[in-house]
Amino acid sequence: MTAFQGLGVVLALLTATASASGPDFSFEARHDHFLGSCKGKLVFSAGGAQFEGPKHRLSWDYRNIQSLDILSDRQIEIISYESRSWQVGRDKRFRFDLPPESLTKDFFDLVRVRIGRPIRTRYLFPSTVYRAQLAVRHRHRLGGCQGSLKIAEDRIIFESEEALHSRIWFYRDIQTMALTDPFQFRLSTPLETHTFDLKEPLVESLYRFIWQKVYRPE
Ligand SMILES: [Zn+2]
Ligand SMILES: [Zn+2]
């Protein structure tokens, strides 16, 4: 065995250990159909997610999951690249209702690592301390919602007073950010773009901190 082959084996072992580590998350789930629903078990394990119902079974490798949309601590959508279920037709979004408080910080932390792509969460899992907070209005096509932006070490949290408008963005998932004028801040991820009216100025040192995290991560 050459040194190069040896390294390959070590890397393969490390990868296998990393993806296999961590618990399975298993939930009693109601799968929403276009009409009606079915009940079954939804499991997120090391290799992927699967749903086992009385009439059908769905399964996705993590690489076939385009994203997740976490709507609350008890509602989740799996957005897949393609459907594998004849019954559900061409739907690419699979929505599941779970018992209250099913989706925990541990679930969020592990599953986003396993998926390895930005996921959307409208539920604010308990977070780290943050260094600054700004009162903002999130601009909608018509009007907007009120909330605050919390700037933390690894993420920006938007806490909205409107259901489903809160978000957690990790700096590494943010593609662009801009302060278009002293009171207007915009950020985009591969999933969406948000524009905020700032009710208080974003001081330069804080702007530079965010810029650094987005464009010059260590
Ligand atoms: Zn179903
Ligand atoms: Zn909003």
Side-chain angles (χ1 to χ4, degrees):
M1 187 187 283
T2 66
F4 183 73
Q5 283 169 326
L7 184 63
V9 172
V10 173
L11 286 176
L13 284 173
L14 283 175
T15 313
T17 314
S19 62
S21 66
D24 288 358
F25 294 91
S26 174
F27 310 108
E28 298 303 320
R30 192 167 60 84
H31 171 218
D32 283 355
H33 296 181
F34 181 63
L35 291 171
S37 63
C38 75
K39 277 185 179 169
K41 184 166 260 187
L42 177 67
V43 180
F44 290 83
S45 59
Q50 54 178 279
F51 174 76
E52 191 97 54
K55 290 181 186 158
H56 61 114
R57 184 173 179 278
L58 302 162
S59 75
W60 305 268
D61 293 343
Y62 285 118
R63 65 169 178 270
N64 288 320
I65 295 180
Q66 194 177 339
S67 190
L68 291 181
D69 198 342
I70 298 172
L71 295 105
S72 71
D73 63 357
R74 53 167 303 172
Q75 278 185 311
I76 191 166
E77 281 185 4
I78 294 174
I79 298 126
S80 74
Y81 284 109
E82 57 183 340
S83 166
R84 288 190 175 178
S85 158
W86 293 103
Q87 287 89 342
V88 190
R90 285 169 302 176
D91 266 6
K92 291 182 177 176
R93 299 179 79 97
F94 302 85
R95 184 166 177 154
F96 299 96
D97 291 306
L98 317 172
E101 295 174 35
S102 289
L103 302 173
T104 59
K105 183 177 182 300
D106 287 350
F107 169 83
F108 178 59
D109 287 344
L110 195 57
V111 166
R112 70 188 174 80
V113 170
R114 284 173 174 172
I115 290 181
R117 279 186 288 275
I119 67 176
R120 177 170 7 209
T121 179
R122 307 156 190 270
Y123 177 71
L124 299 182
F125 295 93
S127 198
T128 47
V129 289
Y130 46 90
R131 62 162 63 198
Q133 178 171 351
L134 293 165
V136 299
R137 181 180 74 144
H138 169 219
R139 278 200 192 174
H140 301 172
R141 211 161 296 170
L142 284 175
C145 69
Q146 313 294 321
S148 62
L149 278 180
K150 294 176 176 178
I151 313 299
E153 287 303 310
D154 64 343
R155 68 191 77 183
I156 297 181
I157 300 142
F158 173 50
E159 199 172 319
S160 173
E161 64 180 20
E162 192 163 313
L164 302 181
H165 280 229
S166 293
R167 293 286 188 280
I168 297 172
W169 296 288
F170 292 88
Y171 293 116
R172 64 167 172 274
D173 295 336
I174 296 176
Q175 289 179 316
T176 64
M177 56 165 280
L179 197 57
T180 44
D181 71 49
F183 293 95
Q184 195 185 114
F185 181 64
R186 194 179 61 222
L187 61 83
S188 14
T189 69
L191 301 173
E192 54 192 352
T193 295
H194 278 68
T195 303
F196 295 101
D197 294 314
L198 307 178
K199 298 179 187 177
E200 48 197 322
L202 180 57
V203 296
E204 200 188 333
S205 58
L206 189 58
Y207 176 78
R208 259 192 275 124
F209 170 81
I210 302 169
W211 192 93
Q212 192 88 15
K213 291 283 185 180
V214 171
Y215 294 116
R216 297 271 188 276
E218 301 102 51

